[in-house]
Amino acid sequence: MDSLLSRRLLWVGGKGGVGKTSVSAALAVLAARCGKRVLVASTDPAHSLGDVFDRQLGDQPTCLLPGLDAMEIDPDIEVEAHLARVTSQMRRFAVPRMMDELERQMRLSRQSPGTQEAALLERISRMITDEGSPYDLIIFDTAPTGHTLRLLSLPEAMSAWTEGLLSHSRKSEELGKVLRHLTPRKGQDIDSPFTDTTRSEMDELDERSRNVAETLLVRRRLFYQARRRISDPEHSAFLFVLTPERLPILETGRAVKSLEEAGIPVAGTLVNRVLPAEAGGDFFAARRSQEAEYLERIDHELAAWPRPRLPWLSSDIQGLEMLEQLASALESALNNTD
Ligand SMILES: Nc1ncnc2c1ncn2[C@@H]1O[C@H](COP(=O)(O)OP(=O)(O)OP(=O)(O)O)[C@@H](O)[C@H]1O
Ligand SMILES: [Mg+2]
């Protein structure tokens, strides 16, 4: 697992309440301790990253330690910014009599399912493709498993949504043809989909259509690039946190499989809240024997991935002092797995 912190992107996921936020924060402390410039960003609309650090966090990075910044992405800011961008693109394209309909669609979009995720995905995509990023590592503390999986599989749904708005236009068929033609195919260089041939395709469109086509292509390219980064095992990986209990084991097994099917690399799992040896008494003896069965099951069912174990600490995790302690426990857990 030594490569865990050497990648540029780390996604921390898992079932609700297993310790994703605490582990993300502790990993960030550990990375900063190793001299990395790290950003830990919460993508869960129900943020608790600030609570774990015991600091107020906002939508832009706040420096918490030398080399360590943290932020909580605000989905509402993203939705408004996203809709404003789409509206201004569409306004360029729409004829005046379509404007009322356009405004109505935008009002509906604000409330429709998937809008927050689409906007969040666009923000994440910009963060992970930013060539001027000052960070060696970005750790994303994600929402419980299901949501994250949906989020990562959204690019196609997202472009369908954006381009669906064009369906009222009599130009849409022509534009659709150009977009299809310009969409990079497998094996084609997605960094430069605007080739000479495609330029001439664009020339056939009028000024307004060309503007929209270009904006949509820029977004499409952003998603392609983001997805390419997320699927590159050298660049990015997913870490599943779970506890030695039945439901997290079942859910992790399913989630690992579905991420792999989606071509998203999994770095490993982290078994959190393992009873420490010193926990005594009948109650803990009973828990420990059940835990032993589950740990064995994890070793069996998740044998293909590293499975470091993190002890259950004597209190919950709050503030930098506790996080330093959890980071040290993490460091020895990761070293023991190498
Ligand atoms: N190793 C640990 N030792 C002691 N307490 C822990 C440990 N890991 C997590 N906790 C505590 O467990 C609770 C849940 O942790 P956390 O909020 O990090 O989980 P989460 O997976 O991010 O939850 P959610 O799904 O709600 O985002 C918190 O009170 C946290 O302090
Ligand atoms: Mg959390």
Side-chain angles (χ1 to χ4, degrees):
M1 293 277 271
D2 60 338
S3 55
L4 194 63
L5 296 177
S6 63
R7 295 183 180 85
R8 303 295 297 269
L9 304 173
L10 190 63
W11 309 82
V12 179
K15 194 171 164 52
V18 292
K20 298 177 292 297
T21 305
S22 309
V23 166
S24 302
L27 278 169
V29 170
L30 183 59
R33 205 189 269 173
C34 299
K36 289 189 183 296
R37 290 162 302 172
V38 57
L39 170 67
V40 55
S42 166
T43 66
D44 184 347
H47 293 298
S48 57
L49 190 60
D51 296 340
V52 170
F53 279 108
D54 213 4
R55 285 281 299 271
Q56 177 85 31
L57 297 177
D59 186 63
Q60 295 297 323
T62 301
C63 180
L64 298 180
L65 276 179
L68 192 169
D69 289 358
M71 66 187 276
E72 293 176 339
I73 299 176
D74 183 337
D76 291 332
I77 294 183
E78 284 313 307
V79 169
E80 290 312 317
H82 173 75
L83 290 181
R85 277 194 297 273
V86 175
T87 311
S88 89
Q89 284 159 24
M90 295 299 145
R91 194 165 275 140
R92 268 187 268 154
F93 189 57
V95 291
R97 67 184 159 72
M98 281 167 59
M99 284 319 294
D100 283 352
E101 173 61 14
L102 183 58
E103 301 287 344
R104 198 180 70 85
Q105 294 245 6
M106 284 298 137
R107 274 198 307 280
L108 284 176
S109 300
R110 190 170 280 117
Q111 281 125 32
S112 67
T115 297
Q116 279 211 344
E117 283 93 339
L120 197 57
L121 185 75
E122 187 161 345
R123 174 73 178 279
I124 291 173
S125 299
R126 275 187 275 122
M127 283 170 72
I128 67 178
T129 55
D130 177 8
E131 297 295 342
S133 165
Y135 302 109
D136 302 313
L137 169 68
I138 306 181
I139 299 172
F140 288 99
D141 168 25
T142 71
T145 333
H147 298 277
T148 309
L149 297 183
R150 222 174 76 216
L151 195 72
L152 293 177
S153 62
L154 252 168
E156 292 77 15
M158 168 78 194
S159 55
W161 176 68
T162 318
E163 284 149 38
L165 287 176
L166 292 172
S167 59
H168 294 277
S169 153
R170 62 199 152 78
K171 286 270 180 221
S172 65
E173 209 173 301
E174 192 186 338
L175 189 57
K177 256 191 276 168
V178 175
L179 283 174
R180 267 194 303 281
H181 184 86
L182 292 187
T183 299
R185 285 169 209 92
K186 262 204 166 81
Q188 211 177 324
D189 181 8
I190 56 169
D191 281 328
S192 51
F194 301 100
T195 59
D196 289 345
T197 35
T198 56
R199 272 279 162 220
S200 68
E201 287 266 336
M202 294 278 258
D203 288 345
E204 287 170 20
L205 295 177
D206 65 26
E207 174 76 25
R208 254 189 331 206
S209 313
R210 196 160 53 229
N211 278 341
V212 177
E214 267 173 358
T215 323
L216 291 179
L217 279 170
V218 166
R219 176 176 298 121
R220 242 182 214 199
R221 184 162 51 171
L222 175 70
F223 287 142
Y224 272 100
Q225 284 170 342
R227 216 183 149 77
R228 186 164 70 166
R229 274 167 211 213
I230 293 170
S231 12
D232 176 0
E234 307 261 297
H235 192 88
S236 165
F238 217 96
L239 176 73
F240 277 100
V241 180
L242 77 162
T243 48
E245 293 166 301
R246 183 170 167 264
L247 298 189
I249 296 174
L250 290 174
E251 183 160 327
T252 304
R254 282 192 294 263
V256 164
K257 202 159 154 257
S258 90
L259 274 198
E260 295 221 306
E261 276 165 14
I264 295 163
V266 174
T269 66
L270 189 85
V271 188
N272 187 25
R273 290 211 299 254
V274 175
L275 282 174
E278 64 269 22
D282 288 349
F283 174 79
F284 282 117
R287 292 262 5 163
R288 201 189 312 279
S289 89
Q290 193 185 30
E291 186 186 88
E293 281 175 33
Y294 285 132
L295 288 171
E296 208 172 291
R297 190 165 157 184
I298 291 172
D299 283 343
H300 178 70
E301 291 180 20
L302 298 165
W305 292 274
R307 303 167 305 280
R309 295 174 183 180
L310 203 55
W312 198 359
L313 302 187
S314 54
S315 81
D316 54 4
I317 320 290
Q318 188 189 358
L320 274 175
E321 207 175 304
M322 274 302 289
L323 279 171
E324 292 282 359
Q325 205 181 319
L326 192 63
S328 299
L330 248 174
E331 190 171 23
S332 40
L334 296 181
N335 286 339
N336 285 340
T337 352
D338 289 342

